[in-house]
Amino acid sequence: MRITGYRTLTTIQEWGRPVGDANGVIPDGVVPVSIVIVETDEGISGVGLGPDVEIERIFAAIEGEDPRAVTTLYDRMLRHTFKAGHAGPVFGTIGALDTALWDIKAQVAGEPLWRLLGGRDRRVPAYASGLDIGLTDDELVSAYQVYAGYGLRAAKLKGGLDIERDRHRLGLVAEVLTEAGHGLRPGLMLDVNEAWSRKQAVRHVCELERTLDLIWIEEPVRRWDAEGLAAVGRGIRASVATGENLTGLEQYRPLIAAGAVDIVQTAAVWGVTHFLRASALAHAHDLPVSPIGNSPIGLLHAATSVPNHLTSELQDLAPPVGVTIDLHVEDGAFVLGDSPGLGVRVDEERVRAAARGPEPQTSEGPHVRPERAGRRLLAGVDGLTPVRRLGGAPLHAHNDVSPTARH
C-alpha cells in the first residue's frame, strides 16, 4: 500500500449563535473547518480535520510511503519543516495528515482506531464548553441546559474580562448543572485565553474562589510563560491547565520542569501521534491530559488508550457541515462507534455547497490578541472595546482588574 495523493476541502461549523472568548466574538457563529483527505493506491482514504498550510511541502515527506508507518512518517514531516519551524498552522497540517494516516491504518486493520490503539472502553468522559462569552444570561442558561440533557455535569466557561460577571455566569451554569444532577455538585472551569498578567490572574481567580470552587483555570497567562504559570499555580487553589497551543514536546518540557502545569492539554488539530507522545510525557510526571477542540475525534480514540486521560472537551453537539462521525454523547461521555478507522465520513457535495468565499480579514475576533490584553485597568475603557451583541448592550460593564473588588 502506498500514499498517492491528497485533497483539501473547507466546510463550516454552524453554531447558530455568537461564539468567542476574551479576545473577541464571531457574531454569526459560522467558523471555517479545514479537511485533509489522504489517498492510497488501494482505494482507502483517510480523513484529518485541520489546516493545510504548506501542505505540498509537507506531503512530499510521505508521498509514495506506506501509510501504516504512521509514527515514523510523522517524524519525517517534522524533519521536512525543521528549518522554518513547525509551529502554528504548519504543525496543524502535520497533525491533519497524521490523523488521516491513523485513519487509514485502522481501516486496513478493519478496526476502529480506539481498538487498534489498545483502548478497552469506548466511553470518553467529557465536559461542556460553549465558547460562550458572547451570550446573554438567558442564552447561556439555555445552552447549558442542552448540555445537561446529555448528562454533562462539568462545564468550562469563557471569561477573564470582569470578575463579577464571571462569578455571575459561573453561578448560573452551576445552578443548571446542579438541578440536572439532582443536587450533585458540578465541576466548573474558566478559560481566559491568555488574557491576563500574572498578578491579574491571581487576583481574579482568588476573588472568584471566595464563593466558587474551580477545577481549573485555563491559559491564565501566555502559553510559554513557565515562571508566570507556576506563580499563578502557587497563588490559587484551582489547577492550571494549558498546552493546547504548544506545538511540540520541546515546548512542554520547561513548563513541566517549572511545575507550571497541572493539567496537560493538547489541541485536536495537532494530531494523534502528538497527543500520544504528550500524554506519555505527562504520565511520566503524574500529570493528567485533556484534549481540546470542537471535533477532537482522533484524540478521543487515542484517549481510550492512555492511562492519564482526565476529560475531553465537548463544544458543539453537531459536527461540521457535510461531516458525519460514528459517535454519540450520553451520560456525560463521548461514546465511540465500531466503524473501522476514525468513523468519519465526508459528503463532499454538501461541503462544496456550504463553501463560502474567503473571509474578510478583520482586526477583531477570537484569533486576534487585543492590543491591551494583560494591561487592562477597567473593562470598557483603557483601549478595550466591550464585546457587544449586534444591536445590543455591552456585555462587560463591571470592573476588570481595578484595585478594589466589587462585593
Side-chain angles (χ1 to χ4, degrees):
M1 172 176 274
R2 298 295 168 187
I3 299 168
T4 56
Y6 69 88
R7 306 193 305 281
T8 62
L9 302 165
T10 300
T11 186
I12 54 175
Q13 187 78 38
E14 295 182 314
W15 283 80
R17 60 171 176 81
V19 293
D21 56 37
N23 300 303
V25 171
I26 300 172
D28 64 2
V30 177
V31 181
V33 178
S34 298
I35 303 171
V36 174
I37 300 174
V38 175
E39 303 162 335
T40 69
D41 60 357
E42 295 190 14
I44 298 177
S45 298
V47 178
L49 302 179
D52 53 28
V53 173
E54 297 192 36
I55 192 168
E56 289 187 17
R57 177 163 66 95
I58 298 169
F59 182 76
I62 63 174
E63 187 173 15
E65 296 288 331
D66 189 324
R68 293 168 293 187
V70 185
T71 54
T72 52
L73 293 182
Y74 179 83
D75 289 321
R76 280 178 62 88
M77 289 189 283
L78 290 180
R79 292 199 300 274
H80 272 236
T81 58
F82 94 104
K83 278 289 187 181
H86 59 243
V90 171
F91 197 65
T93 302
I94 293 172
L97 290 167
D98 172 73
T99 300
L101 296 182
W102 279 109
D103 188 16
I104 293 170
K105 185 180 179 76
Q107 288 183 61
V108 172
E111 294 185 331
L113 182 57
W114 65 268
R115 181 73 75 188
L116 181 72
L117 290 172
R120 178 174 173 270
D121 187 351
R122 69 181 70 220
R123 298 177 60 84
V124 182
Y127 68 89
S129 178
L131 311 187
D132 45 47
I133 203 168
L135 301 184
T136 65
D137 288 355
D138 289 344
E139 291 168 335
L140 183 73
V141 168
S142 178
Y144 281 90
Q145 285 173 336
V146 174
Y147 288 125
Y150 285 87
L152 285 104
R153 298 294 179 261
K156 182 177 77 182
L157 274 65
K158 296 290 189 178
L161 296 178
D162 178 271
I163 292 172
E164 290 307 319
R165 178 161 178 79
D166 286 348
R167 191 196 312 277
H168 174 67
R169 297 174 77 249
L170 286 162
L172 289 176
V173 171
E175 290 178 6
V176 169
L177 298 183
T178 299
E179 180 179 356
H182 305 290
L184 181 68
R185 186 177 185 178
L188 298 174
M189 299 87 94
L190 184 68
D191 184 1
V192 302
N193 297 97
E194 305 180 57
W196 294 331
S197 69
R198 301 175 189 182
K199 285 291 189 179
Q200 287 173 347
V202 172
R203 177 183 174 277
H204 198 118
V205 177
C206 283
E207 177 60 23
L208 291 177
E209 288 182 328
R210 289 195 311 106
T211 55
L212 295 168
D213 181 27
L214 295 176
I215 295 175
W216 77 58
I217 183 71
E218 188 167 320
E219 290 193 323
V221 297
R222 299 313 303 271
R223 65 195 70 170
W224 53 74
D225 186 4
E227 183 180 328
L229 288 164
V232 173
R234 290 191 297 268
I236 64 177
R237 297 198 310 267
S239 294
V240 171
T242 192
E244 68 174 284
N245 287 305
L246 302 183
T247 51
L249 295 185
E250 69 280 358
Q251 297 183 11
Y252 286 90
R253 287 203 305 264
L255 272 62
I256 291 175
V261 54
D262 301 304
I263 296 167
V264 174
Q265 298 175 312
T266 68
V269 295
W270 302 151
V272 172
T273 299
H274 171 69
F275 172 77
L276 292 172
R277 292 179 177 181
S279 297
L281 177 63
H283 185 49
H285 293 83
D286 294 320
L287 296 173
V289 292
S290 181
I292 295 294
N294 188 51
S295 299
I297 180 61
L299 273 53
L300 298 179
H301 281 264
T304 67
S305 70
V306 301
N308 53 333
H309 174 260
L310 178 63
T311 183
S312 290
E313 183 173 38
L314 171 59
Q315 293 185 2
D316 199 352
L317 284 155
V321 172
V323 176
T324 58
I325 305 175
D326 185 13
L327 66 73
H328 64 278
V329 178
E330 67 176 20
D331 296 332
F334 295 97
V335 183
L336 299 168
D338 286 316
S339 297
L342 292 175
V344 176
R345 298 293 176 264
V346 180
D347 183 336
E348 297 191 32
E349 290 188 7
R350 278 198 68 199
V351 168
R352 293 189 183 96
R356 300 168 57 159
E359 295 294 321
Q361 296 297 312
T362 65
S363 60
E364 297 179 352
H367 302 295
V368 178
R369 183 169 172 81
E371 181 180 358
R372 296 197 60 81
R375 295 184 291 116
R376 297 171 178 135
L377 182 62
L378 299 172
V381 298
D382 221 14
L384 171 64
T385 301
V387 178
R388 294 176 181 268
R389 290 294 304 277
L390 296 181
L395 294 182
H396 308 294
H398 301 298
N399 286 352
D400 175 22
V401 289
S402 58
T404 57
R406 299 171 68 96
H407 300 297

